[in-house]
Amino acid sequence: MNSDRTLHGAVRSSHAVAGAPCWVSLSARDLAAAQHFYAAVLGWEWSRAGHGDRFRLACADGVPVAGAAEVAGAWQTAVAWTPYFAVADADEAVSRGKERGGTPAVGPIAFPSGRAALLADRDGAVFGVWEGALVAGWEHWRESAPAFVRLHTRDAFDAAIFYGEVLRWASGGPGSCEVVYDGDEVVLSNQGDVVARIFSGALGEAPDPTLRPHWQVVFAVPDVAGRAEAAVAHGGGVVRHDPERGEIILSDPDGARFTVTARPARK
């Protein structure tokens, strides 16, 4: 399951896909336990990330698709899956987020291949920004990573304005994302691919975290029910079943929530 080899993957700069989700990462308390759980549930293999003993890369068929870091205690962040968006300048993105009512949480922090920061938007949904070289070429990651991101928020249109200004969506620059309003949702696309969706209806004070504003990370798997059974067998749980979408929200043993779906990641 675990490999001592280090992957050196920086292929393309985040400038090339400005504003697009470019990575997903797990903030964990117990890195070894997280590796064991996700290897069993999603079939991932793990490799050293080159950022120290507290970081690992998850690989699918040899391609880096996600990260995990044992930083929940040190950074005083929640155990959670978080999407990261590509930006040209992490400091500017954090500054724009703060000016527009967001809350800087961590960083920017320097890594060998770039700089990262965590923020919360105006409604409390946590996301990250990444400036620098990508772990794998963006197109390669999009083709190989079984991940999709979806924002559940109070007002999709208000959120689109916030993220558009912070992440430079619809700026017209090379590689920038396009925004389309489709009924009551916002659809984000980059280079012809849908890369994220934003939905209205989340409740800010809901006791259930899945009903409050949050970014949801979705993994496409060949057997949704089987992955749910594996999660329970390895100390996780089933949070909610959405038969209409063919999705199940799961939790890992630490409480981090993620979704599995049978649909392709780009749909």
Side-chain angles (χ1 to χ4, degrees):
M1 176 182 69
N2 299 325
S3 171
D4 288 333
R5 62 191 170 89
T6 299
L7 292 178
H8 301 281
V11 177
R12 292 193 60 185
S13 167
S14 56
H15 293 242
V17 288
C22 63
W23 194 242
V24 292
S25 185
L26 172 67
S27 173
R29 290 193 185 93
D30 187 331
L31 189 56
Q35 291 176 84
H36 177 75
F37 175 82
Y38 288 99
V41 175
L42 297 179
W44 288 344
E45 296 182 347
W46 294 88
S47 298
R48 294 186 181 276
H51 301 318
D53 291 338
R54 294 191 300 172
F55 297 84
R56 292 291 187 274
L57 288 178
C59 301
D61 297 325
V63 178
V65 294
E70 194 176 276
V71 296
W75 289 1
Q76 297 183 337
T77 58
V79 175
W81 278 100
T82 302
Y84 281 76
F85 296 82
V87 296
D89 188 310
D91 289 297
E92 288 186 3
V94 171
S95 178
R96 289 194 297 267
K98 185 176 181 179
E99 290 171 356
R100 289 155 179 80
T103 304
V106 177
I109 295 175
F111 293 93
S113 57
R115 304 173 72 240
L118 288 174
L119 306 89
D121 67 19
R122 287 192 284 246
D123 289 316
V126 176
F127 66 104
V129 295
W130 174 257
E131 167 201 343
L134 305 181
V135 175
W138 186 79
E139 294 86 352
H140 201 186
W141 180 73
R142 286 290 299 153
E143 291 172 358
S144 302
F148 184 79
V149 296
R150 181 190 294 141
L151 176 63
H152 292 259
T153 190
R154 178 184 55 81
D155 184 328
F157 303 109
D158 181 72
I161 293 172
F162 172 85
Y163 284 97
E165 293 177 344
V166 173
L167 301 175
R168 301 298 196 194
W169 292 348
S171 66
S176 68
C177 292
E178 299 176 356
V179 176
V180 175
Y181 297 94
D182 183 9
D184 60 352
E185 72 176 75
V186 176
V187 179
L188 183 71
S189 63
N190 186 287
Q191 302 181 17
D193 291 324
V194 173
V195 295
R197 293 178 183 270
I198 302 176
F199 294 86
S200 297
L203 306 174
E205 302 300 324
D208 183 348
T210 63
L211 301 180
R212 296 200 294 266
H214 68 284
W215 277 99
Q216 181 183 43
V217 176
V218 184
F219 298 104
V221 298
D223 178 8
V224 173
R227 297 310 87 211
E229 292 175 2
V232 173
H234 289 83
V238 174
V239 177
R240 181 175 300 161
H241 185 199
D242 186 345
E244 183 176 345
R245 282 184 174 153
E247 298 178 353
I248 300 179
I249 301 174
L250 303 174
S251 63
D252 68 16
D254 241 355
R257 298 185 175 192
F258 62 102
T259 299
V260 291
T261 180
R263 295 187 299 173
R266 293 192 181 192
K267 301 300 183 182

